[in-house]
Each structure stands twice: as C-alpha cells, then as structure tokens.
Amino acid sequence: MLGALWNGAGGRVDRNQPTRGALAQPLVQIAASIPATALFPVLLLLLIRAGGGMESAAMALMLLGTQWYILFNVIAGAMAIPTDLKEAATVFSVHPRGSAGGA
C-alpha cells in the first residue's frame, strides 16, 4: 500500500509536468536497474541499527521489489490517455479532482 501511494503520486507528476518528467525518467530507469536484492543488505543494516527487526526488513524488501512495477504502470497509464480526451477535459473545465468550473 505504501508503494502504491508514493508511486501513484510520482507517476502522475512525471506525466503532468513534462519538464520534471524528462529529468526524473532517466534517474528512475537507473534506480530500477538495481535489483531489490542488491539493496537489501544495506537496508537490513540500516533497519537493524534503527531498531527495526526482521519484520521491518521483510516489508522493506517487498516494497523495493514491487515499487518499480507500480511506478512504470502508472506512467504508462498516464501516457496512454489520448490527447483528444485531455483537450476535451480542458474545454469542459474538468479538473483532476472532478470539480467542474472551479466550484
């Protein structure tokens, strides 16, 4: 759930703000190329020193393993929205939160 929260927001920022997306996309690709199991020993040491147990480490490993799939699917979904649909939303003043006309 935690991975879905930050990846959903990050994916929307990536697609809604093209300049930030153009800067963030290569960094995300590089970070995604590192397997979760490679980061696990470092993460485990940090969690043990912070007072977390193996349960915290196991949850962190699951988060690391799934976050990239969520992020890339959110970005792909945002990219798949047709331009015509975005233009129609602008014409009819449909905002992301569902409020029309700023009311």
Side-chain angles (χ1 to χ4, degrees):
M1 189 67 149
L2 182 61
L5 289 175
W6 86 266
N7 283 312
R12 281 182 288 168
V13 166
D14 184 42
R15 290 296 110 206
N16 292 337
Q17 298 175 352
T19 54
R20 283 188 185 175
L23 293 173
Q25 192 70 18
L27 297 174
V28 169
Q29 293 288 338
I30 290 169
S33 69
I34 301 169
T37 53
L39 298 174
F40 188 64
V42 175
L43 185 65
L44 182 62
L45 289 174
L46 291 174
L47 286 172
I48 289 174
R49 286 187 182 180
M54 288 300 289
E55 294 84 12
S56 299
M59 288 188 297
L61 180 62
M62 288 187 283
L63 176 64
L64 284 173
T66 60
Q67 68 184 353
W68 303 118
Y69 299 110
I70 297 169
L71 180 62
F72 292 135
N73 283 322
V74 169
I75 291 172
M79 288 174 55
I81 297 173
T83 307
D84 297 344
L85 186 60
K86 291 178 185 177
E87 291 173 1
T90 302
V91 168
F92 291 111
S93 299
V94 177
H95 301 286
R97 295 214 176 231
S99 62

Coordinates of all heavy atoms in Angstrom, one line a residue:
M1 N 0.8 -1.2 0.0 CA 0.0 0.0 0.0 C 0.9 1.3 0.0 O 0.6 2.2 -0.7 CB -0.9 -0.1 1.2 CG -1.9 1.0 1.2 SD -3.1 0.7 -0.1 CE -4.5 1.3 0.6
L2 N 1.9 1.2 0.8 CA 2.8 2.4 0.8 C 3.5 2.6 -0.5 O 3.6 3.8 -1.0 CB 3.9 2.1 1.9 CG 4.9 3.3 2.1 CD1 4.2 4.5 2.6 CD2 5.9 2.8 3.1
G3 N 3.9 1.6 -1.2 CA 4.5 1.7 -2.5 C 3.5 2.3 -3.5 O 3.9 3.1 -4.4
A4 N 2.2 1.9 -3.4 CA 1.2 2.4 -4.4 C 1.0 3.9 -4.1 O 0.8 4.7 -5.0 CB -0.1 1.7 -4.2
L5 N 1.1 4.3 -2.9 CA 0.8 5.8 -2.5 C 1.9 6.7 -3.2 O 1.5 7.6 -3.9 CB 0.8 6.0 -1.0 CG -0.4 5.4 -0.3 CD1 -0.3 5.6 1.2 CD2 -1.7 6.1 -0.8
W6 N 3.1 6.4 -2.9 CA 4.1 7.3 -3.4 C 4.4 7.1 -4.9 O 4.7 8.1 -5.6 CB 5.4 7.2 -2.6 CG 6.4 6.2 -3.0 CD1 6.5 5.0 -2.5 CD2 7.4 6.3 -4.0 NE1 7.6 4.3 -3.2 CE2 8.1 5.1 -4.1 CE3 7.8 7.3 -4.9 CZ2 9.2 4.9 -4.9 CZ3 8.9 7.1 -5.8 CH2 9.5 5.9 -5.8
N7 N 4.2 5.9 -5.4 CA 4.4 5.7 -6.9 C 3.3 6.3 -7.7 O 3.5 6.8 -8.8 CB 4.6 4.2 -7.2 CG 6.0 3.7 -6.8 OD1 6.9 4.4 -7.2 ND2 6.0 2.6 -6.1
G8 N 2.1 6.2 -7.2 CA 0.9 6.8 -7.9 C 1.1 8.3 -8.0 O 0.9 8.9 -9.1
A9 N 1.5 9.0 -6.9 CA 1.8 10.4 -7.0 C 3.0 10.7 -7.9 O 2.9 11.7 -8.7 CB 2.0 11.0 -5.6
G10 N 4.0 10.0 -7.8 CA 5.2 10.2 -8.6 C 5.0 10.0 -10.1 O 5.5 10.8 -10.9
G11 N 4.2 9.0 -10.4 CA 3.9 8.8 -11.8 C 3.0 9.9 -12.4 O 3.2 10.2 -13.6
R12 N 2.1 10.4 -11.6 CA 1.3 11.5 -12.2 C 2.1 12.8 -12.3 O 1.9 13.5 -13.3 CB 0.1 11.7 -11.3 CG -1.0 10.7 -11.5 CD -2.2 11.0 -10.7 NE -1.7 10.6 -9.3 CZ -2.4 10.9 -8.2 NH1 -3.5 11.5 -8.3 NH2 -1.9 10.5 -7.0
V13 N 3.0 13.0 -11.4 CA 3.8 14.2 -11.5 C 4.7 14.1 -12.8 O 4.9 15.0 -13.5 CB 4.7 14.4 -10.3 CG1 5.8 15.4 -10.5 CG2 3.9 14.9 -9.1
D14 N 5.2 12.9 -13.0 CA 6.1 12.6 -14.1 C 5.4 12.9 -15.5 O 5.9 13.5 -16.4 CB 6.5 11.1 -14.1 CG 7.5 10.8 -15.2 OD1 8.4 11.7 -15.5 OD2 7.4 9.8 -15.8
R15 N 4.1 12.6 -15.6 CA 3.4 12.8 -16.8 C 2.7 14.2 -16.9 O 2.5 14.7 -18.0 CB 2.3 11.7 -17.0 CG 2.9 10.4 -17.3 CD 3.6 10.4 -18.6 NE 5.0 10.2 -18.4 CZ 6.0 10.7 -19.2 NH1 5.7 11.3 -20.3 NH2 7.2 10.5 -18.9
N16 N 2.3 14.7 -15.8 CA 1.6 16.0 -15.8 C 2.6 17.2 -15.9 O 2.1 18.3 -16.3 CB 0.7 16.2 -14.5 CG -0.5 15.2 -14.6 OD1 -0.9 14.8 -15.6 ND2 -1.0 14.9 -13.4
Q17 N 3.8 17.0 -15.5 CA 4.8 18.1 -15.6 C 5.9 17.6 -16.5 O 6.9 17.0 -15.9 CB 5.3 18.5 -14.2 CG 4.1 19.0 -13.3 CD 4.6 19.3 -11.9 OE1 5.7 19.0 -11.5 NE2 3.7 19.9 -11.2
P18 N 5.9 17.8 -17.8 CA 6.8 17.2 -18.7 C 8.3 17.5 -18.4 O 9.2 16.7 -18.6 CB 6.4 17.7 -20.1 CG 5.0 18.1 -19.9 CD 4.8 18.5 -18.5
T19 N 8.6 18.7 -17.9 CA 10.0 19.1 -17.7 C 10.5 18.3 -16.5 O 11.7 17.8 -16.6 CB 10.1 20.6 -17.4 OG1 9.3 20.9 -16.3 CG2 9.8 21.4 -18.6
R20 N 9.7 18.1 -15.5 CA 10.2 17.3 -14.3 C 10.3 15.8 -14.8 O 11.2 15.1 -14.4 CB 9.2 17.4 -13.1 CG 9.4 18.7 -12.4 CD 8.6 18.6 -11.1 NE 8.7 19.9 -10.5 CZ 8.0 20.2 -9.4 NH1 7.2 19.4 -8.9 NH2 8.2 21.4 -8.8
G21 N 9.3 15.4 -15.6 CA 9.3 14.0 -16.1 C 10.5 13.7 -16.9 O 11.1 12.6 -16.8
A22 N 10.9 14.7 -17.7 CA 12.1 14.5 -18.6 C 13.4 14.3 -17.7 O 14.3 13.6 -18.1 CB 12.2 15.6 -19.6
L23 N 13.4 15.0 -16.6 CA 14.6 15.0 -15.7 C 14.5 13.7 -14.9 O 15.6 13.1 -14.6 CB 14.7 16.2 -14.8 CG 15.0 17.5 -15.5 CD1 14.8 18.7 -14.6 CD2 16.3 17.5 -16.2
A24 N 13.4 13.3 -14.4 CA 13.2 12.2 -13.5 C 13.3 10.9 -14.2 O 13.7 9.9 -13.6 CB 11.9 12.3 -12.7
Q25 N 12.8 10.8 -15.4 CA 12.7 9.5 -16.1 C 14.1 8.7 -16.2 O 14.1 7.6 -15.8 CB 12.1 9.7 -17.5 CG 11.8 8.4 -18.2 CD 10.6 7.7 -17.6 OE1 9.8 8.3 -16.8 NE2 10.4 6.5 -17.8
P26 N 15.2 9.4 -16.6 CA 16.5 8.6 -16.6 C 16.9 8.2 -15.2 O 17.4 7.1 -15.1 CB 17.5 9.6 -17.2 CG 16.6 10.7 -17.9 CD 15.3 10.7 -17.2
L27 N 16.7 9.0 -14.2 CA 17.0 8.6 -12.8 C 16.2 7.4 -12.4 O 16.8 6.5 -11.7 CB 16.9 9.8 -11.9 CG 17.7 11.0 -12.2 CD1 17.3 12.2 -11.3 CD2 19.2 10.7 -12.1
V28 N 14.9 7.4 -12.7 CA 14.1 6.3 -12.3 C 14.5 5.0 -13.0 O 14.6 4.0 -12.4 CB 12.6 6.6 -12.6 CG1 11.7 5.4 -12.5 CG2 12.1 7.7 -11.7
Q29 N 14.9 5.2 -14.3 CA 15.4 4.0 -15.0 C 16.6 3.4 -14.5 O 16.8 2.2 -14.4 CB 15.6 4.4 -16.5 CG 14.3 4.7 -17.3 CD 13.5 3.5 -17.5 OE1 13.9 2.4 -17.5 NE2 12.2 3.7 -17.8
I30 N 17.5 4.3 -14.1 CA 18.8 3.8 -13.5 C 18.5 3.2 -12.1 O 19.1 2.1 -11.8 CB 19.8 5.0 -13.3 CG1 20.3 5.5 -14.7 CG2 21.0 4.6 -12.4 CD1 21.1 6.8 -14.6
A31 N 17.7 3.8 -11.3 CA 17.4 3.2 -10.0 C 16.7 1.9 -10.2 O 16.9 0.9 -9.4 CB 16.5 4.1 -9.2
A32 N 15.8 1.7 -11.2 CA 15.1 0.5 -11.4 C 16.0 -0.6 -11.9 O 15.6 -1.8 -11.7 CB 13.9 0.7 -12.4
S33 N 17.1 -0.3 -12.5 CA 18.0 -1.3 -13.0 C 18.7 -2.1 -11.8 O 19.3 -3.1 -12.0 CB 19.0 -0.7 -13.9 OG 19.9 0.1 -13.3
I34 N 18.7 -1.5 -10.6 CA 19.4 -2.1 -9.5 C 18.4 -3.1 -8.8 O 17.3 -2.7 -8.4 CB 19.8 -1.1 -8.4 CG1 20.8 -0.1 -9.1 CG2 20.4 -1.8 -7.2 CD1 21.1 1.1 -8.2
P35 N 18.7 -4.4 -8.8 CA 17.7 -5.3 -8.2 C 17.5 -5.1 -6.7 O 18.4 -4.6 -6.0 CB 18.3 -6.7 -8.5 CG 19.6 -6.5 -9.0 CD 19.8 -5.0 -9.3
A36 N 16.3 -5.3 -6.3 CA 15.9 -5.1 -4.9 C 16.8 -5.9 -3.9 O 17.2 -5.5 -2.9 CB 14.5 -5.5 -4.6
T37 N 17.2 -7.1 -4.4 CA 18.1 -8.0 -3.5 C 19.5 -7.4 -3.4 O 20.1 -7.7 -2.4 CB 18.1 -9.4 -4.1 OG1 18.6 -9.3 -5.5 CG2 16.8 -10.1 -4.0
A38 N 19.9 -6.5 -4.3 CA 21.2 -5.9 -4.1 C 21.2 -4.8 -3.0 O 22.2 -4.6 -2.4 CB 21.7 -5.3 -5.5
L39 N 20.1 -4.2 -2.9 CA 19.9 -3.1 -1.9 C 19.6 -3.7 -0.5 O 19.7 -3.0 0.5 CB 18.8 -2.1 -2.3 CG 19.1 -1.4 -3.6 CD1 17.9 -0.6 -3.9 CD2 20.3 -0.5 -3.5
F40 N 19.1 -4.9 -0.4 CA 18.6 -5.5 0.8 C 19.7 -5.5 1.9 O 19.3 -5.2 3.1 CB 18.0 -6.9 0.6 CG 17.3 -7.4 1.8 CD1 16.2 -6.8 2.3 CD2 17.8 -8.5 2.4 CE1 15.5 -7.2 3.4 CE2 17.1 -9.0 3.5 CZ 16.0 -8.4 4.0
P41 N 20.9 -6.0 1.7 CA 21.9 -6.0 2.8 C 22.1 -4.6 3.5 O 22.1 -4.5 4.7 CB 23.2 -6.5 2.2 CG 22.7 -7.3 1.0 CD 21.5 -6.6 0.5
V42 N 22.2 -3.6 2.6 CA 22.4 -2.2 3.2 C 21.1 -1.8 3.9 O 21.2 -1.2 5.0 CB 22.7 -1.2 2.0 CG1 22.8 0.2 2.5 CG2 23.9 -1.6 1.3
L43 N 20.0 -2.0 3.4 CA 18.7 -1.7 4.0 C 18.5 -2.5 5.3 O 18.1 -1.9 6.3 CB 17.5 -2.0 3.1 CG 16.2 -1.6 3.6 CD1 16.1 -0.1 3.7 CD2 15.1 -2.1 2.6
L44 N 18.9 -3.7 5.3 CA 18.8 -4.5 6.6 C 19.7 -4.0 7.7 O 19.3 -3.8 8.8 CB 19.2 -6.0 6.2 CG 19.2 -7.0 7.4 CD1 17.7 -7.1 7.9 CD2 19.7 -8.3 7.0
L45 N 21.0 -3.6 7.3 CA 21.8 -3.0 8.3 C 21.3 -1.7 8.9 O 21.3 -1.4 10.1 CB 23.2 -2.7 7.7 CG 24.1 -4.0 7.5 CD1 25.3 -3.6 6.7 CD2 24.4 -4.7 8.7
L46 N 20.7 -0.8 8.0 CA 20.1 0.4 8.5 C 18.9 0.2 9.4 O 18.8 0.8 10.4 CB 19.7 1.3 7.3 CG 20.8 1.8 6.4 CD1 20.3 2.5 5.2 CD2 21.7 2.8 7.2
L47 N 18.1 -0.8 9.0 CA 16.9 -1.1 9.8 C 17.2 -1.7 11.2 O 16.6 -1.4 12.2 CB 15.9 -2.0 9.1 CG 15.1 -1.3 7.9 CD1 14.4 -2.3 7.1 CD2 14.2 -0.2 8.5
I48 N 18.3 -2.5 11.2 CA 18.7 -3.1 12.5 C 19.3 -2.1 13.4 O 19.0 -2.0 14.6 CB 19.7 -4.3 12.2 CG1 18.9 -5.5 11.6 CG2 20.3 -4.7 13.5 CD1 19.8 -6.6 11.2
R49 N 20.1 -1.2 12.8 CA 20.6 -0.1 13.7 C 19.6 0.9 14.2 O 19.7 1.5 15.2 CB 21.7 0.7 12.9 CG 23.0 -0.1 12.7 CD 24.0 0.7 12.1 NE 25.2 -0.1 11.9 CZ 26.3 0.3 11.4 NH1 26.5 1.5 11.1 NH2 27.3 -0.5 11.3
A50 N 18.5 1.0 13.4 CA 17.4 2.0 13.8 C 16.4 1.3 14.7 O 15.5 2.0 15.2 CB 16.7 2.4 12.5
G51 N 16.6 0.0 15.0 CA 15.8 -0.6 16.0 C 14.7 -1.5 15.4 O 13.8 -2.0 16.1
G52 N 14.6 -1.5 14.1 CA 13.6 -2.3 13.4 C 14.1 -3.8 13.3 O 15.3 -4.1 13.4
G53 N 13.2 -4.7 13.3 CA 13.5 -6.1 13.3 C 13.5 -6.7 11.9 O 13.4 -6.0 10.9
M54 N 13.5 -8.0 11.8 CA 13.5 -8.7 10.5 C 12.1 -8.5 9.9 O 12.0 -8.5 8.6 CB 13.7 -10.2 10.7 CG 15.2 -10.5 11.1 SD 16.3 -9.9 9.8 CE 15.9 -11.1 8.5
E55 N 11.1 -8.2 10.7 CA 9.7 -8.0 10.1 C 9.8 -6.7 9.2 O 9.3 -6.6 8.1 CB 8.7 -7.9 11.1 CG 8.4 -9.2 11.9 CD 9.4 -9.4 13.0 OE1 10.1 -8.4 13.4 OE2 9.5 -10.5 13.6
S56 N 10.4 -5.7 9.8 CA 10.5 -4.4 9.0 C 11.4 -4.6 7.8 O 11.1 -4.0 6.7 CB 11.2 -3.3 9.9 OG 10.4 -3.1 11.0
A57 N 12.4 -5.4 7.9 CA 13.3 -5.6 6.7 C 12.5 -6.4 5.7 O 12.7 -6.1 4.5 CB 14.5 -6.4 7.2
A58 N 11.7 -7.4 6.1 CA 11.0 -8.1 5.1 C 10.0 -7.2 4.4 O 9.8 -7.4 3.1 CB 10.2 -9.3 5.8
M59 N 9.3 -6.3 5.1 CA 8.4 -5.4 4.4 C 9.1 -4.5 3.5 O 8.6 -4.2 2.4 CB 7.6 -4.6 5.5 CG 6.6 -5.5 6.2 SD 5.5 -4.6 7.3 CE 6.6 -3.9 8.5
A60 N 10.3 -4.0 3.9 CA 11.0 -3.1 3.0 C 11.5 -3.8 1.7 O 11.5 -3.3 0.7 CB 12.2 -2.6 3.8
L61 N 11.8 -5.1 1.9 CA 12.2 -5.9 0.7 C 11.0 -6.1 -0.3 O 11.2 -5.9 -1.5 CB 12.8 -7.2 1.1 CG 13.2 -8.1 -0.1 CD1 14.4 -7.5 -0.9 CD2 13.6 -9.5 0.4
M62 N 9.9 -6.3 0.3 CA 8.7 -6.4 -0.6 C 8.4 -5.1 -1.3 O 8.0 -5.1 -2.4 CB 7.5 -6.9 0.2 CG 7.6 -8.4 0.6 SD 6.1 -9.0 1.4 CE 6.2 -8.3 3.0
L63 N 8.5 -4.0 -0.5 CA 8.3 -2.7 -1.1 C 9.3 -2.4 -2.2 O 8.9 -1.9 -3.3 CB 8.4 -1.6 0.0 CG 8.3 -0.2 -0.5 CD1 6.9 0.1 -1.1 CD2 8.6 0.8 0.6
L64 N 10.5 -2.7 -2.0 CA 11.6 -2.5 -3.0 C 11.3 -3.3 -4.3 O 11.5 -2.9 -5.4 CB 13.0 -2.8 -2.5 CG 13.6 -1.8 -1.5 CD1 14.9 -2.3 -0.9 CD2 13.8 -0.5 -2.3
G65 N 10.8 -4.5 -4.1 CA 10.5 -5.4 -5.2 C 9.4 -5.1 -6.0 O 9.3 -5.4 -7.2
T66 N 8.4 -4.4 -5.5 CA 7.2 -4.1 -6.2 C 7.0 -2.6 -6.7 O 6.2 -2.3 -7.6 CB 5.9 -4.4 -5.4 OG1 5.9 -3.6 -4.2 CG2 5.9 -5.9 -5.0
Q67 N 7.8 -1.7 -6.1 CA 7.6 -0.3 -6.4 C 7.8 0.1 -7.8 O 7.1 0.9 -8.4 CB 8.4 0.5 -5.5 CG 9.9 0.5 -5.8 CD 10.7 1.3 -4.8 OE1 10.2 2.0 -4.0 NE2 12.0 1.2 -4.9
W68 N 8.8 -0.6 -8.5 CA 9.0 -0.2 -9.9 C 7.9 -0.6 -10.8 O 7.6 0.1 -11.7 CB 10.4 -0.8 -10.3 CG 11.5 -0.4 -9.4 CD1 12.3 -1.1 -8.6 CD2 11.9 1.0 -9.1 NE1 13.1 -0.4 -7.9 CE2 12.9 0.9 -8.2 CE3 11.5 2.2 -9.6 CZ2 13.6 2.1 -7.7 CZ3 12.1 3.4 -9.1 CH2 13.1 3.3 -8.2
Y69 N 7.3 -1.8 -10.5 CA 6.2 -2.2 -11.4 C 5.0 -1.3 -11.3 O 4.4 -0.9 -12.3 CB 5.7 -3.6 -11.0 CG 6.8 -4.7 -11.1 CD1 7.4 -5.3 -10.1 CD2 7.2 -5.0 -12.4 CE1 8.4 -6.2 -10.2 CE2 8.3 -6.0 -12.6 CZ 8.8 -6.5 -11.5 OH 9.8 -7.5 -11.6
I70 N 4.8 -0.8 -10.1 CA 3.7 0.1 -9.8 C 4.0 1.4 -10.5 O 3.1 2.0 -11.3 CB 3.4 0.4 -8.3 CG1 3.0 -0.9 -7.7 CG2 2.4 1.5 -8.1 CD1 2.9 -0.9 -6.2
L71 N 5.2 2.0 -10.3 CA 5.5 3.3 -10.9 C 5.5 3.2 -12.4 O 4.9 4.1 -13.1 CB 6.9 3.7 -10.5 CG 7.4 5.0 -11.0 CD1 6.6 6.2 -10.6 CD2 8.9 5.2 -10.6
F72 N 6.0 2.2 -13.1 CA 6.1 2.1 -14.5 C 4.7 1.9 -15.1 O 4.3 2.5 -16.2 CB 7.0 1.1 -15.0 CG 8.5 1.4 -14.8 CD1 9.3 0.5 -14.3 CD2 8.9 2.7 -15.0 CE1 10.6 0.8 -14.0 CE2 10.2 3.0 -14.7 CZ 11.1 2.1 -14.2
N73 N 3.8 1.2 -14.4 CA 2.4 1.1 -14.9 C 1.6 2.3 -14.7 O 0.8 2.6 -15.6 CB 1.7 -0.1 -14.1 CG 2.2 -1.4 -14.6 OD1 2.4 -1.6 -15.8 ND2 2.3 -2.4 -13.8
V74 N 1.9 3.1 -13.7 CA 1.2 4.4 -13.6 C 1.6 5.4 -14.7 O 0.8 6.0 -15.3 CB 1.5 5.0 -12.2 CG1 1.0 6.5 -12.1 CG2 0.8 4.2 -11.1
I75 N 2.9 5.4 -14.9 CA 3.4 6.3 -16.0 C 2.9 5.8 -17.4 O 2.4 6.6 -18.2 CB 5.0 6.3 -16.0 CG1 5.5 7.0 -14.8 CG2 5.5 6.9 -17.3 CD1 7.0 6.9 -14.6
A76 N 2.9 4.5 -17.6 CA 2.3 4.0 -18.9 C 0.9 4.3 -19.0 O 0.4 4.7 -20.1 CB 2.6 2.5 -19.0
G77 N 0.1 4.2 -17.9 CA -1.3 4.5 -18.0 C -1.5 6.0 -18.2 O -2.4 6.4 -19.0
A78 N -0.7 6.9 -17.6 CA -0.9 8.3 -17.9 C -0.5 8.7 -19.3 O -1.1 9.5 -19.9 CB 0.0 9.1 -16.9
M79 N 0.5 8.0 -19.8 CA 0.9 8.2 -21.2 C -0.2 7.7 -22.2 O -0.2 8.3 -23.3 CB 2.2 7.6 -21.5 CG 3.4 8.3 -20.8 SD 5.0 7.4 -21.0 CE 5.1 7.3 -22.8
A80 N -1.0 6.8 -21.8 CA -1.9 6.2 -22.7 C -3.2 7.0 -22.8 O -4.1 6.7 -23.7 CB -2.3 4.8 -22.3
I81 N -3.4 8.0 -22.0 CA -4.5 8.9 -22.1 C -4.5 9.7 -23.4 O -3.5 10.4 -23.7 CB -4.6 9.8 -20.9 CG1 -4.8 9.1 -19.6 CG2 -5.8 10.8 -21.1 CD1 -4.7 9.9 -18.4
P82 N -5.5 9.5 -24.3 CA -5.4 10.2 -25.6 C -5.4 11.7 -25.4 O -6.0 12.3 -24.5 CB -6.7 9.7 -26.3 CG -7.2 8.6 -25.5 CD -6.7 8.7 -24.1
T83 N -4.7 12.4 -26.3 CA -4.6 13.8 -26.3 C -6.0 14.4 -26.5 O -6.3 15.5 -25.9 CB -3.7 14.3 -27.4 OG1 -2.4 13.6 -27.3 CG2 -3.5 15.8 -27.3
D84 N -6.9 13.8 -27.3 CA -8.2 14.3 -27.5 C -9.0 14.4 -26.2 O -9.8 15.3 -25.9 CB -9.0 13.4 -28.5 CG -8.4 13.5 -29.9 OD1 -7.5 14.3 -30.1 OD2 -8.7 12.6 -30.7
L85 N -8.8 13.4 -25.4 CA -9.5 13.3 -24.1 C -9.0 14.4 -23.2 O -9.8 15.1 -22.5 CB -9.3 11.9 -23.4 CG -10.1 11.7 -22.2 CD1 -11.6 11.8 -22.4 CD2 -9.8 10.3 -21.6
K86 N -7.7 14.7 -23.2 CA -7.2 15.8 -22.4 C -7.7 17.1 -22.9 O -8.0 18.0 -22.1 CB -5.6 15.8 -22.4 CG -5.0 14.6 -21.7 CD -3.5 14.6 -21.9 CE -2.9 13.4 -21.3 NZ -1.4 13.3 -21.5
E87 N -7.8 17.3 -24.2 CA -8.3 18.6 -24.7 C -9.8 18.7 -24.4 O -10.2 19.9 -24.1 CB -8.1 18.6 -26.2 CG -6.6 18.7 -26.6 CD -6.4 18.6 -28.1 OE1 -7.4 18.4 -28.9 OE2 -5.2 18.6 -28.5
A88 N -10.5 17.7 -24.5 CA -12.0 17.8 -24.1 C -12.1 18.1 -22.6 O -13.0 18.9 -22.3 CB -12.7 16.4 -24.4
A89 N -11.3 17.6 -21.8 CA -11.4 17.9 -20.4 C -11.1 19.4 -20.1 O -11.7 20.0 -19.3 CB -10.4 17.0 -19.6
T90 N -10.1 19.9 -20.9 CA -9.8 21.3 -20.8 C -10.9 22.2 -21.3 O -11.3 23.2 -20.6 CB -8.5 21.6 -21.6 OG1 -7.4 20.8 -21.1 CG2 -8.1 23.1 -21.5
V91 N -11.5 21.8 -22.4 CA -12.7 22.6 -22.9 C -13.8 22.7 -22.0 O -14.5 23.7 -21.8 CB -13.1 22.0 -24.3 CG1 -14.4 22.6 -24.8 CG2 -12.0 22.3 -25.3
F92 N -14.1 21.5 -21.4 CA -15.3 21.5 -20.4 C -14.9 21.8 -19.0 O -15.7 21.5 -18.1 CB -15.9 20.1 -20.5 CG -16.6 19.9 -21.9 CD1 -16.1 18.9 -22.8 CD2 -17.7 20.6 -22.2 CE1 -16.7 18.8 -24.0 CE2 -18.4 20.4 -23.4 CZ -17.9 19.5 -24.3
S93 N -13.7 22.3 -18.8 CA -13.2 22.7 -17.4 C -13.3 21.5 -16.4 O -13.7 21.7 -15.3 CB -14.0 23.9 -16.9 OG -13.8 25.0 -17.8
V94 N -13.0 20.3 -16.8 CA -12.9 19.2 -15.9 C -11.5 19.1 -15.3 O -10.5 19.1 -16.0 CB -13.2 17.9 -16.7 CG1 -13.1 16.7 -15.7 CG2 -14.6 17.9 -17.3
H95 N -11.5 19.2 -14.0 CA -10.2 19.3 -13.3 C -10.0 17.9 -12.7 O -10.9 17.1 -12.5 CB -10.3 20.3 -12.2 CG -10.5 21.7 -12.7 ND1 -9.6 22.4 -13.4 CD2 -11.6 22.5 -12.8 CE1 -10.1 23.6 -13.8 NE2 -11.3 23.6 -13.4
P96 N -8.7 17.6 -12.3 CA -8.3 16.3 -11.8 C -9.2 15.8 -10.6 O -9.4 14.6 -10.4 CB -6.9 16.4 -11.4 CG -6.4 17.5 -12.2 CD -7.5 18.5 -12.4
R97 N -9.6 16.7 -9.8 CA -10.4 16.3 -8.6 C -11.9 16.1 -8.9 O -12.7 15.8 -8.0 CB -10.2 17.3 -7.5 CG -8.8 17.3 -7.0 CD -8.8 17.6 -5.5 NE -7.4 17.5 -5.1 CZ -7.0 16.7 -4.1 NH1 -7.9 16.1 -3.4 NH2 -5.8 16.7 -3.7
G98 N -12.3 16.3 -10.1 CA -13.6 16.1 -10.5 C -14.5 17.3 -10.4 O -15.7 17.3 -10.6
S99 N -14.0 18.5 -10.0 CA -14.8 19.7 -9.8 C -14.8 20.4 -11.1 O -13.7 20.7 -11.7 CB -14.3 20.6 -8.7 OG -12.9 21.0 -9.0
A100 N -15.9 20.8 -11.6 CA -16.0 21.5 -12.9 C -16.2 23.0 -12.7 O -16.9 23.4 -11.8 CB -17.2 21.0 -13.7
G101 N -15.5 23.8 -13.4 CA -15.7 25.2 -13.4 C -15.1 25.8 -12.1 O -15.5 27.0 -11.7
G102 N -14.3 25.1 -11.3 CA -13.7 25.7 -10.1 C -14.7 25.8 -8.9 O -14.4 26.4 -8.0
A103 N -15.9 25.1 -9.1 CA -16.9 25.2 -8.0 C -16.6 24.2 -6.9 O -16.0 23.2 -7.0 CB -18.2 25.0 -8.5

